[in-house]
Amino acid sequence: MKPGRQSVIMEIISQRDIETQSQLLEALAERGIKSTQATLSRDIKDMHLVKEQGPAGTYRYAPSAKRTRTARQ
Amino acid sequence: MKPGRQSVIMEIISQRDIETQSQLLEALAERGIKSTQATLSRDIKDMHLVKEQGPAGTYRYAPSAKRTRTARQ
DNA sequence: CATGAATAATAATTCAAG
DNA sequence: CTTGAATTATTATTCATG
């Protein structure tokens, strides 16, 4: 289930600002993917996503600049 | 005190891997700068630093790719 | 090896206050 | 407008379990 979920996570964060893992959890649920915060924390680490400061004063998850070639993709 | 502290934070994270704000707090203390976790959290936001996955499986603070021109500096 | 529930650890924010 | 102490919120990890 991991690959599919991670693809959808990418889609979601590219489409709208996600401030917390809870929000991401909800967004996934809306798309029929049920998971837990623990898993999302791991996915975020896997995918090299980072919580950055967005345009507004808010935080949001985004891809890290450096995509290490070490990890697949 | 903010400007000086933030400069030193930049130095520190460019020199060694900092995994947590507590570690950063200690590193600053070593350089004679005393602060608190609350302030570091704010500095990190100000400076657009992000907690990214480092080479090892570990996390570390690093500059975000996008330096918005919106904020000064 | 991926995951969830629970927990521990960490980080963001609130609430004074200078 | 910056900060610290305390608190809340959020995230990482541990400890099973499939």
Side-chain angles (χ1 to χ4, degrees):
Chain A
M1 299 267 36
K2 184 154 84 163
R5 187 184 55 248
Q6 293 192 350
S7 302
V8 178
I9 289 175
M10 268 304 196
E11 275 186 32
I12 292 172
I13 67 170
S14 67
Q15 292 172 353
R16 54 154 143 158
D17 285 4
I18 295 295
E19 297 181 8
T20 67
Q21 294 179 6
S22 297
Q23 277 190 17
L24 183 53
L25 201 57
E26 291 174 14
L28 282 167
E30 287 170 11
R31 308 199 183 197
I33 298 178
K34 196 168 186 176
S35 189
T36 65
Q37 181 269 320
T39 296
L40 297 190
S41 173
R42 294 182 189 114
D43 283 341
I44 285 165
K45 191 174 186 179
D46 270 15
M47 301 169 70
H48 292 262
L49 298 183
V50 295
K51 194 178 186 180
E52 72 176 9
Q53 203 211 7
T58 62
Y59 281 101
R60 74 173 167 199
Y61 280 99
S64 163
K66 312 154 192 153
R67 306 308 295 282
T68 59
R69 219 65 40 58
T70 321
R72 129 156 74 36
Q73 145 65 197
Chain B
M1 299 269 36
K2 184 154 85 164
R5 186 183 57 248
Q6 293 193 348
S7 302
V8 178
I9 290 174
M10 269 303 197
E11 275 186 31
I12 293 171
I13 67 170
S14 67
Q15 292 172 353
R16 54 154 145 158
D17 285 4
I18 296 294
E19 298 180 8
T20 67
Q21 294 180 5
S22 298
Q23 277 190 17
L24 182 53
L25 201 56
E26 291 173 14
L28 282 168
E30 287 170 11
R31 307 200 184 197
I33 299 178
K34 196 169 187 177
S35 189
T36 64
Q37 181 268 321
T39 296
L40 297 190
S41 173
R42 295 181 190 113
D43 283 341
I44 285 166
K45 192 174 185 178
D46 270 14
M47 301 170 69
H48 290 263
L49 298 183
V50 296
K51 194 179 186 178
E52 71 175 11
Q53 203 211 7
T58 62
Y59 281 101
R60 74 173 166 199
Y61 281 100
S64 163
K66 312 154 192 154
R67 305 309 295 282
T68 59
R69 220 62 41 58
T70 320
R72 130 156 76 35
Q73 143 67 196

